């Protein structure tokens, strides 16, 4: 799923402070596209494991658990490192920050609901539990479609004017800490696959040389292998 990042009728963006951009928030659109795509797939995955096929539910469940952990950590990084700064440095954005906090609370509640269901489903491959989990993910997607779009449209332009490059990078570092290093490269592939070609190239260009080398040597193959196992019969989306 690729989101069209525009305001809908009745939505009003806050004023953007004067001055130069201190950081670049383009990567947020790339990350949000990946979350939207992944949570669009999640209900189908939760319904796809044959009854009693614990090996399959465990494999799929690990991917879903990593997805949930990444979303939680991403939101936590904003809760801890972004919202207070925006309220203090751009008071006209305070109402929109309040809406972002409320969206985060909704997502946190749904993640809390999904967590025990996911654990049970991974251990049992019970279709009834998988259906409950799928329902939680469908409701999660509906919240995210509103939240992720409005954050990019309304909040990120303000953040680019009042948050430094170093402060912005600290949020990314916090989010990455949620996933074990041996599973980060396939997630990198997902980020690129869910991006428009121009965004993908720009995102890849900003990666450290060491990450580019790892991606070329092992990451691209890891991503393709994981995708084929997750979605048998589907073509692997292109990356770089």
């Amino acid at each position: 799923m690729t989101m069209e990042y525009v305001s809908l009728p009745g939505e009003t963006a806050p004023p953007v402070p004067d001055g130069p951009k201190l950081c670049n928030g383009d990567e947020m659109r790339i990350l949000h596209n990946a979350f939207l795509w992944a949570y669009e797939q999640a209900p189908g995955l939760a319904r796809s494991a044959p009854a009693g096929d614990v090996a399959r539910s465990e494999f799929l469940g690990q991917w879903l658990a990593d997805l949930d952990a990444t979303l939680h950590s991403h939101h936590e990084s904003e809760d801890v490192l972004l919202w207070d700064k925006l309220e203090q440095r751009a008071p006209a954005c305070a109402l929109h920050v309040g809406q972002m906090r409320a969206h985060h609370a909704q997502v946190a509640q749904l993640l809390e609901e999904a967590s025990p269901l996911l654990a049970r489903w991974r251990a049992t491959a019970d279709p009834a539990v998988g259906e409950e989990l799928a329902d939680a993910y469908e409701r999660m997607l509906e919240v995210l479609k509103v939240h992720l779009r409005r954050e990019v449209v309304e909040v990120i332009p303000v953040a680019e004017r009042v948050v430094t490059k170093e402060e912005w990078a600290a949020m990314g570092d916090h989010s990455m800490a949620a996933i074990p290093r041996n599973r980060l490269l396939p997630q990198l592939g997902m980020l690129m696959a869910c991006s428009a070609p121009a965004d993908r190239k720009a995102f890849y260009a900003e990666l450290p040389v060491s990450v580019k080398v790892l991606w070329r040597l092992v990451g691209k193959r890891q991503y393709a292998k994981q995708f084929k196992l997750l979605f048998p019969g589907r073509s692997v989306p292109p990356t770089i």
Side-chain angles (χ1 to χ4, degrees):
M1 174 183 292
T2 300
M3 175 68 71
E4 185 178 5
Y5 291 101
V6 296
S7 294
L8 297 184
E11 298 174 353
T12 304
V16 177
D18 294 332
K21 284 188 177 183
L22 304 180
C23 66
N24 185 350
D26 287 349
E27 65 188 43
M28 195 67 80
R29 186 177 64 252
I30 294 170
L31 179 60
H32 286 191
N33 281 340
F35 278 134
L36 289 166
W37 177 85
Y39 279 104
E40 189 178 41
Q41 312 309 310
L45 291 176
R47 294 182 173 112
S48 70
D53 189 346
V54 176
R56 182 66 178 164
S57 65
E58 171 58 27
F59 172 74
L60 298 176
Q62 181 64 73
W63 189 82
L64 291 168
D66 284 350
L67 173 64
D68 290 349
T70 303
L71 178 62
H72 170 75
S73 183
H74 170 61
H75 280 184
E76 185 179 64
S77 71
E78 294 174 337
D79 293 339
V80 174
L81 300 172
L82 181 60
W83 302 143
D84 287 348
K85 291 183 177 69
L86 288 180
E87 288 176 328
Q88 293 164 8
R89 301 173 188 177
C93 191
L95 176 61
H96 295 80
V97 169
Q99 292 172 332
M100 296 298 104
R101 292 186 193 271
H103 291 162
H104 279 200
Q106 288 179 277
V107 171
Q109 183 176 356
L110 287 164
L111 285 172
E112 186 175 350
E113 178 183 339
S115 180
L117 294 171
L118 179 56
R120 286 168 54 200
W121 181 69
R122 290 174 69 172
T124 65
D126 182 338
V129 179
E131 184 61 36
E132 290 184 74
L133 180 62
D135 176 71
Y137 282 138
E138 286 173 343
R139 286 180 281 126
M140 178 96 67
L141 179 61
E142 291 309 304
V143 176
L144 291 175
K145 283 192 289 189
V146 175
H147 169 65
L148 298 179
R149 176 182 56 80
R150 294 191 67 178
E151 184 176 301
V152 167
V153 173
E154 299 171 7
V155 175
I156 299 306
V158 177
E160 289 178 325
R161 294 306 200 282
V162 300
V163 175
T164 68
K165 183 178 180 180
E166 293 74 19
E167 290 169 335
W168 189 260
M171 290 198 302
D173 292 342
H174 182 279
S175 296
M176 286 180 60
I179 304 303
R181 289 186 179 275
N182 66 342
R183 296 203 291 272
L184 279 173
L185 287 173
Q187 285 209 359
L188 174 61
M190 184 176 73
L191 284 173
M192 290 191 284
C194 293
S195 305
D199 287 339
R200 185 184 307 153
K201 290 179 181 178
F203 176 76
Y204 183 79
E206 294 297 318
L207 293 174
V209 173
S210 59
V211 176
K212 291 179 182 177
V213 171
L214 284 172
W215 170 251
R216 295 288 189 182
L217 289 177
V218 298
K220 193 169 186 177
R221 290 197 303 274
Q222 288 179 354
Y223 157 72
K225 179 180 178 180
Q226 182 190 73
F227 187 92
K228 291 175 182 178
L229 291 172
L230 287 167
F231 308 105
R234 287 169 57 173
S235 299
V236 178
T239 55
I240 285 181

